[in-house]
Amino acid sequence: MERFLSSGHQETVKAVTTNASQHLPSPKDKVTALLCISNLTEDWMDSLQRLDLEFFIIPTTVITLGTLLANPLLLLCIFLTRALRRETRYLLVANTLAADILFLVLNLATIICNTVRVQIPRLVCELITAATVTAYCCAVLTVTLMVVDTYVAVRWPLRYHVFLSPARTRRVLVGLWALAAAYPFALVIMTERADSREKVAVCLVLISFGFMQLQQMFDIHVYFLVAAIICAVLIFYCYVRLYMVTRTRGIWQSRFSRARVTLLTHGLLLLLYFAPGFVFTLELVMFHRKDISQDLRVWVSTVNMCVFMLLPRAFAPYLYGLRYREISDRLMQMLFQQRLTLSTFS
């Protein structure tokens, strides 16, 4: 029989959320919220065990380890090659891979801790949550900037290196990390509580964001939705303009032309990066709905965290990294030299 949150828990969530939307929480509200979170995490773990969702750790571990083997190799290939690390597009690829590595490590560590029921301090959980959101947002922003970079290179080829020189690109990437980290870490500072040393049984971005004591809970939904819309509109505009500029050059005539394959590759990877974000926004909406069962919340959150969010990271090294001829050639040279060195010593 399905186990739902009790009506008392639901009323507590509603009362705490309403109180937070009007003023800063009082000490009594903090204790009430703490008890509610504790009850919710217990129900969450019960649903995980009853639905056998803990076995999702197997595909999560396999995908993560496979990606963590490919990404560092590509990063070494880019940063050890002077010609590659001076190219804007390769710096963007490297930043995407670095953000993905950070996200994968934090995501896998969180899932392992939740599966084996390792309790961690609440402040540590909130910091991990903020870092995870920062890595995810930075990867999405960098992928968006890669589309802008392609548009600028095609639209203004003679002034491209003036617009996006390597030095300016590095400053832009630092700005992207700061922009991605500003809102999540600001939430941690705004919601700092005296009970930060209390330990939690389940550390999830959904639960941490769902109980943020803000003046308006609606701000979280607006943040993710507006950011996604801005990136989507910018990508759509750049692709439309690219097609209008290049349609008379004959590069779209062949069915399997490089332009079509590139557009298909970018479109697929963009869809894989953006889809989990929209699913997470749906999770936040479901979190505060009383007519949705706890099992459904747990199932959607687990699938999104263990599968959907990992797919773009698994495909990125191959769709972006190895597809660039310069990176693949340099990587093969590095592997061949390493094999030659090993054979010489043997």
Side-chain angles (χ1 to χ4, degrees):
M1 181 177 181
E2 292 187 349
R3 180 174 180 177
F4 300 86
L5 282 174
S6 64
S7 58
H9 297 165
Q10 295 287 0
E11 292 300 326
T12 303
V13 174
K14 182 178 179 181
V16 172
T17 304
T18 303
N19 188 285
S21 65
Q22 296 175 352
H23 53 77
L24 292 176
S26 63
K28 181 179 179 180
D29 295 327
K30 293 180 180 180
V31 174
T32 304
L34 181 61
L35 293 175
C36 187
I37 294 175
S38 177
N39 293 330
L40 177 59
T41 54
E42 291 179 3
D43 289 342
W44 197 280
M45 293 303 300
D46 290 341
S47 295
L48 279 175
Q49 292 181 340
R50 183 172 57 257
L51 300 175
D52 293 329
L53 296 179
E54 293 176 329
F55 289 102
F56 269 95
I57 192 176
I58 298 176
T60 300
T61 304
V62 172
I63 295 175
T64 300
L65 293 180
T67 307
L68 290 179
L69 288 176
N71 282 12
L73 285 177
L74 294 177
L75 284 175
L76 287 175
C77 181
I78 293 174
F79 288 117
L80 293 180
T81 306
R82 186 173 183 273
L84 295 182
R85 66 173 180 266
R86 293 180 62 84
E87 286 279 347
T88 297
R89 54 179 176 171
Y90 299 133
L91 288 176
L92 295 177
V93 172
N95 193 68
T96 304
L97 297 176
D100 286 347
I101 290 175
L102 177 60
F103 177 87
L104 290 171
V105 170
L106 293 176
N107 185 71
L108 182 61
T110 301
I111 292 175
I112 292 176
C113 290
N114 292 339
T115 302
V116 300
R117 296 199 174 191
V118 175
Q119 294 188 350
I120 60 177
R122 185 178 306 280
L123 179 59
V124 175
C125 176
E126 292 178 352
L127 291 175
I128 292 175
T129 296
T132 302
V133 174
T134 297
Y136 181 88
C137 293
C138 188
V140 172
L141 291 175
T142 307
V143 170
T144 303
L145 189 59
M146 292 174 72
V147 178
V148 177
D149 172 71
T150 304
Y151 171 70
V152 174
V154 174
R155 187 69 178 84
W156 298 284
L158 299 180
R159 304 176 64 184
Y160 167 72
H161 292 288
V162 177
F163 289 148
L164 290 174
S165 62
R168 181 171 296 178
T169 302
R170 295 187 187 96
R171 291 194 293 268
V172 170
L173 293 179
V174 172
L176 282 183
W177 279 99
L179 179 62
Y183 187 73
F185 283 95
L187 289 181
V188 175
I189 297 174
M190 292 171 60
T191 59
E192 185 178 0
R193 297 184 293 268
D195 60 356
S196 296
R197 295 184 179 180
E198 294 290 337
K199 295 185 177 181
V200 293
V202 177
C203 181
L204 290 174
V205 176
L206 175 62
I207 295 179
S208 297
F209 271 33
F211 280 94
M212 287 293 183
Q213 303 292 330
L214 299 176
Q215 292 184 352
Q216 288 186 352
M217 291 298 299
F218 190 68
D219 292 349
I220 297 178
H221 302 271
V222 171
Y223 169 76
F224 286 107
L225 186 61
V226 171
I229 291 176
I230 291 176
C231 291
V233 170
L234 185 60
I235 290 171
F236 180 77
Y237 172 80
C238 290
Y239 274 141
V240 170
R241 291 295 299 168
L242 277 173
Y243 176 75
M244 295 177 64
V245 170
T246 60
R247 63 179 177 178
T248 59
R249 300 182 184 179
I251 62 176
W252 301 94
Q253 300 300 325
S254 175
R255 177 177 297 181
F256 300 104
S257 64
R258 184 172 180 82
R260 288 180 181 272
V261 175
T262 300
L263 180 61
L264 179 62
T265 301
H266 286 198
L268 174 61
L269 200 55
L270 288 170
L271 177 63
L272 292 176
Y273 268 107
F274 276 89
F278 286 108
V279 175
F280 180 73
T281 303
L282 177 63
E283 291 180 48
L284 287 175
V285 175
M286 295 171 58
F287 186 84
H288 296 288
R289 292 284 299 272
K290 295 190 293 184
D291 57 337
I292 297 177
S293 70
Q294 177 78 347
D295 287 349
L296 180 59
R297 293 192 189 99
V298 175
W299 189 86
V300 173
S301 177
T302 303
V303 173
N304 191 37
M305 183 172 61
C306 297
V307 179
F308 293 158
M309 288 190 175
L310 301 185
L311 289 180
R313 277 99 193 153
F315 285 114
Y318 309 100
L319 294 182
Y320 269 142
L322 298 182
R323 191 173 178 276
Y324 287 111
R325 193 173 293 113
E326 294 85 353
I327 295 180
S328 59
D329 291 345
R330 178 56 182 165
L331 183 61
M332 294 303 298
Q333 291 178 4
M334 291 175 58
L335 295 178
F336 178 75
Q337 291 177 357
Q338 184 68 20
R339 184 181 302 177
L340 183 62
T341 302
L342 292 175
S343 63
T344 301
F345 279 107
S346 60

